[in-house]
Amino acid sequence: MGIYEKVFGSSTTKQLKKSKPSIQKINNLEKEFENFSDEQLRAKTEEFKEQIKTRINQIVDDPLNDFEQKKDLDKEKKERQTRKEKQVLDEILPEAFAIVREASKRTLNMRHFDVQLIGGIVLHDGKIAEMRTGEGKTLVSTLAIYLNALLGKGVHVITVNDYLAKRDAQWMGKIFNFLGLRVGVIVHEHAYLVDFDKKEKEESKNAKLQVEIEVENLTEVSRKESYDADITYGTNNEFGFDYLRDNMSTDLSQKAQRPLNYALIDEIDSVLIDEARTPLIISAPAEESGELYKKFATIVPSLKENEDYNVDEKMRTATLNDEGIKKMEGILGMSNIYDKGVELVHHVEQALRAHVMYQKDRDYVVKDGEVIIVDEFTGRLMQGRRYSEGLHQAIEAKEGVEIKRESMTLATITFQNYFRLYSKLAGMTGTAATESEEFFNIYKLEVIEIPTNKVMVRKDASDKILKNEEGKFKALVDEIKKRNEKGQPVLVGTISIEKNELLSSLLKIQGVQHEVLNAKQHEREAQIIAQAGAKGAVTIATNMAGRGVDIVLGGYPYDKEKADEVKQLGGLCVIGTERHESRRIDNQLRGRSGRQGDPGFSQFFISMEDDLMRIFGAERIKKIMNTLGIPDDQPIENKMISKAIETAQKKVEGHNFDIRKHVLEYDDVMNRQRTSIYTKRDRILRNKGEVDDGEVDLIEKVRDVFSLEIKNIVSLHASGDRDQWDKKEIWENFITILDKDTLDFSQEDLEKMDSPGEIESKLLEAINKQFEERLGAIGREDLINIVRMVYLRIIDMFWVQHLTEIDRLRTGIGLVGYGQKDPLTEYKRRSYDMFQQLQGLIDSNFARTFFKLQIQRKNEQRTEKVEQRKKIEEKKEEAKQLGSDEEGKKIISVKNDKVGRNNPCPCGSGKKYKKCCGK
């Protein structure tokens, strides 16, 4: 504890002191609400909603000053509204929490402890509640979720996988349903509403796990319906991708999400830290052959480390040296590999990285002919995620599976910037304290440690250190076997699928019965982990270790006699097979034992050949152990080595924080541009042609675009000395906007004009005249729809190109460092210039596209199709009379050679041209 905390108290101490009056009020209300009927409790929800509306309208803000109006009126209004809502929710918090506690007792037979009420207050305040495993985080969340759902703006509850989203929505959803709130679920490719009126499973089937999903309670709906519910559960990936998809939509009806209000993240460290290095990307396949990947996948195994290439394990890179380049040039028959461009070298080095740095069953698995990434922190399969910059294709070539084409980015956002879009953000986890600095710096989230309901009695033993990996695994098997023989349940944590399966094979040889839990068995995750506390159970798990599922001593379902028997044996024994690069992940594993005051034990086994030790210089320690003559399988406990391990972990944590911060610094630049483009799209989508909130409607927007385009053309070619004016260029630019055949003046007339103002006025007059004619011909509503369609297509086309160019800029910007320039500063400058060009391109392209569109009324289109069909039928008949129906088809083909293959056939059949007359 620092001097500041000793004098002023820690954040946790202050929070506990601040929460006491509210806890007292909640407890005082308990007896009163116990006497309420179910209907009276449910009626409180509507009463709260009315109370909130009334109180918000009663709160009067100070008037806005001129400076605030000029600076950012919309932002100030939004912040004031948020402050009002917070004030009103704080006022009703004790009553709302007491209602939730009573509803929980009646629906789940679970009563919130006082420490859980403190957790609920922390979550409502927009902070992180750090609660030990088994302290009931899921139940705690219901307090803040219910209170914030009363605003009617939607609450998003983010979980780490689809399974937990479904489970929690149905499990905790019983409370919300009882109180009259609707619950939705968003998972991969599906959306649901939780429906508790559906028939539940028979009692005979209830012997199964409580945590199993009862799919009968889920009704499939559209994603929009699920988001329109009061509370929506789902994973971080799904919420993020839906945000991106919404901002690619071309119609308001396609949007699923409402404005982002309140997000509560379960296992917040996993979502906002472990997964924050990889941005969300929606992409489309680009045209590129996979032959190069296949070619280099066969070549790079012949290269030798240190002779032909160098490896940097900390940076996870493998690069060719001069000898390696010469060898590659010899194999490829080239005098200089760079003559073919840097792309070829890039392909070689990605193939090298795939071969050297990425291992099957550690970094990825091959399943059903597909390479699927394994999350290094959780051990889960990351379906749909791909390594970027061609690395994934290089791994596919290495493994001999189908190589999927590289892709172009359509939309992208980092998790950091997505979650910072919410008006309020909160989260809970068992392990956040070690990353509290990052949470505050990046998200402005404070970490509050919530006291345990019962004193923790788990024993955390010192690490056992061995000389090599072989000796470590022998010691591990001996320890597991010894504890298993006396009946103590053992949970073993490994950091990779490979080590997981190796230990499993060694235990089989020794005849130790056990369960294996890794990404390959993720479907049975809940069943395996829930039984890990049974007498004699041995469970080997990757880091995923069933987060979100409690390990019950004695096994599931709970049996007091069995639980007491396991407690007598020392509770759950947790063994780590090596230290992870993050202390937080190690603490998560330890936290599986010792829940709710249960006894438990934890210890890590480490060898000098473990990745963490090897990378951070374990050779010196290994030499000392050899000098002392310590046998390979003899474990030692040494404070100096343990201190060195912790120092190494801190270094890696700092390095990973720097990587995430670096990604965010660059994405912050893109985020401002993305927000600007998405806001522009949203205004176009929402504006129906009426003036709304002071905005100019779409018709006026179009007039402004044309006016600005004409001003730019004229000022560019008719400024300065008269003899430097280029009226010919003005004319040629102008007729790219309007067809010269539609004008009532010529180039010669324009040449006679004396001033830029006169030229500008004449050109604008011609544009406005034709615009008004279009407006009168097709009507205001149809014209607005056309403007919307054209504008959105142009924005999306140029935005995708911009993203590709920004990716290229980001990839090569590091080279400016050689010129004594800061890459980030240079990136900001260049990307800003590119964005300014993008905005000009969008408006200019719209101006030059609009009048080129051939607009037809629907009845005109139908008439034209009928006429076309008549002509085609006449041609067919004519061909038949000549003696060949085939000849008739040839005539049709020739006459319609300008029809696109995928366009509707002009004959009016309703089929595509290629499937009909174009055959």
Side-chain angles (χ1 to χ4, degrees), residues 754-897:
D754 292 328
S755 69
E758 186 183 357
I759 297 170
E760 192 178 306
S761 179
K762 186 65 177 174
L763 301 186
L764 270 176
E765 182 186 336
I767 284 177
N768 286 330
K769 181 183 174 185
Q770 291 203 25
F771 186 73
E772 291 301 326
E773 285 175 2
R774 287 210 161 191
L775 182 58
I778 66 171
R780 186 180 178 85
E781 187 177 340
D782 283 349
L783 188 65
I784 285 170
N785 288 333
I786 291 164
V787 167
R788 182 180 289 120
M789 178 191 72
V790 175
Y791 228 127
L792 290 176
R793 284 186 179 178
I794 289 170
I795 288 172
D796 292 345
M797 178 180 72
F798 281 108
W799 177 241
V800 168
Q801 289 177 10
H802 180 71
L803 288 175
T804 305
E805 289 164 9
I806 285 288
D807 279 345
R808 288 176 185 153
L809 173 66
R810 172 74 182 85
T811 302
I813 200 69
L815 296 173
V816 303
Y818 292 111
Q820 305 301 308
K821 292 181 180 179
D822 175 39
L824 181 60
T825 303
E826 194 65 13
Y827 175 77
K828 287 178 180 178
R829 185 184 68 78
R830 293 187 190 182
S831 62
Y832 175 77
D833 291 343
M834 290 165 67
F835 188 63
Q836 293 299 103
Q837 291 173 14
L838 168 73
Q839 290 179 307
L841 272 171
I842 288 170
D843 285 347
S844 180
N845 201 271
F846 174 83
R848 292 162 199 275
T849 302
F850 181 76
F851 287 107
K852 301 290 191 296
L853 293 172
Q854 296 300 314
I855 300 167
Q856 289 180 308
R857 306 290 290 184
K858 287 181 182 178
N859 57 348
E860 291 172 1
Q861 291 172 354
R862 283 194 291 268
T863 303
E864 189 175 290
K865 282 183 180 179
V866 169
E867 291 299 321
Q868 283 179 335
R869 188 161 189 170
K870 277 183 184 177
K871 286 178 183 178
I872 290 165
E873 291 299 331
E874 286 170 7
K875 289 289 183 183
K876 280 185 178 181
E877 192 59 38
E878 186 182 316
K880 282 181 181 179
Q881 288 170 6
L882 290 171
S884 168
D885 187 53
E886 285 301 309
E887 189 64 30
K889 289 186 180 178
K890 286 177 187 173
I891 292 169
I892 295 164
S893 178
V894 172
K895 292 292 180 187
N896 291 281
D897 59 349

Side-chain angles (χ1 to χ4, degrees), residues 184-291:
V185 186
I186 298 285
V187 293
H188 186 57
E189 295 183 349
H190 296 283
Y192 304 97
L193 282 176
V194 183
D195 182 3
F196 289 96
D197 292 331
K198 286 195 167 190
K199 188 179 177 183
E200 298 215 356
K201 291 184 177 181
E202 300 88 2
E203 285 295 318
S204 60
K205 292 185 180 178
N206 283 342
K208 289 188 176 183
L209 286 172
Q210 171 195 344
V211 292
E212 271 197 297
I213 303 162
E214 302 207 7
V215 292
E216 288 82 359
N217 285 339
L218 297 177
T219 299
E220 188 145 9
V221 294
S222 69
R223 288 178 105 73
K224 180 168 174 50
E225 286 177 278
S226 189
Y227 278 117
D228 283 345
D230 299 292
I231 300 149
T232 308
Y233 284 79
T235 63
N236 49 321
N237 286 342
E238 294 305 310
F239 284 116
F241 280 129
D242 282 342
Y243 169 76
L244 292 177
R245 280 189 284 264
D246 277 359
N247 285 288
M248 294 168 65
S249 60
T250 55
D251 192 274
L252 272 179
S253 62
Q254 297 169 358
K255 277 180 165 273
Q257 290 184 344
R258 293 187 276 172
L260 303 176
N261 173 42
Y262 176 54
L264 197 159
I265 308 176
D266 192 10
E267 308 297 359
I268 193 169
D269 53 329
S270 176
V271 173
L272 293 190
I273 291 183
D274 295 342
E275 296 196 38
R277 278 193 277 182
T278 309
L280 292 169
I281 298 172
I282 292 179
S283 58
E287 298 297 329
E288 185 169 322
S289 168
E291 292 307 311

Side-chain angles (χ1 to χ4, degrees), residues 377-561:
F377 296 99
T378 65
R380 298 183 192 280
L381 294 184
M382 301 171 77
Q383 295 281 358
R385 299 285 282 273
R386 290 174 67 80
Y387 294 116
S388 59
E389 299 173 347
L391 176 60
H392 209 98
Q393 286 82 359
I395 294 172
E396 286 169 335
K398 166 189 168 185
E399 295 297 339
V401 300
E402 180 193 352
I403 298 172
K404 294 182 180 175
R405 288 180 297 179
E406 288 196 65
S407 55
M408 62 178 178
T409 301
L410 300 180
T412 178
I413 193 169
T414 57
F415 281 123
Q416 291 102 319
N417 274 322
Y418 171 68
F419 282 110
R420 291 195 301 189
L421 292 170
Y422 282 87
S423 299
K424 184 161 74 171
L425 185 63
M428 49 195 184
T429 180
T431 47
T434 57
E435 314 290 348
S436 57
E437 181 187 353
E438 180 168 353
F439 278 124
F440 190 78
N441 287 343
I442 304 296
Y443 304 99
K444 298 292 179 270
L445 287 171
E446 199 175 341
V447 177
I448 304 295
E449 295 180 57
I450 308 299
T452 54
N453 187 46
K454 295 180 181 177
V455 178
M456 196 192 73
V457 296
R458 184 187 70 230
K459 181 185 176 186
D460 296 328
S462 301
D463 299 344
K464 285 193 174 181
I465 301 145
L466 294 105
K467 211 159 51 172
N468 58 37
E469 192 169 72
E470 186 182 349
K472 180 182 77 172
F473 274 98
K474 187 176 185 303
L476 272 167
V477 171
D478 289 344
E479 179 74 13
I480 294 165
K481 191 176 179 182
K482 181 181 77 176
R483 291 184 180 273
N484 178 247
E485 283 172 351
K486 72 173 187 176
Q488 185 176 13
V490 180
L491 174 67
V492 186
T494 64
I495 70 165
S496 71
I497 298 171
E498 179 189 24
K499 301 288 172 64
N500 183 281
E501 293 179 343
L502 170 62
L503 184 57
S504 173
S505 63
L506 294 173
L507 288 175
K508 280 178 184 173
I509 293 168
Q510 293 293 322
V512 178
Q513 294 290 320
H514 62 278
E515 285 276 13
V516 177
L517 174 59
N518 58 40
K520 293 181 179 179
Q521 288 86 27
H522 70 279
E523 292 88 354
R524 295 180 56 237
E525 176 183 340
Q527 291 91 323
I528 293 172
I529 207 69
Q531 298 299 346
K535 182 181 177 182
V538 175
T539 310
I540 308 169
T542 49
N543 289 327
M544 65 203 297
R547 287 188 79 173
V549 181
D550 281 340
I551 297 177
V552 181
L553 293 189
Y556 186 88
Y558 175 75
D559 182 291
K560 189 176 184 306
E561 284 186 20

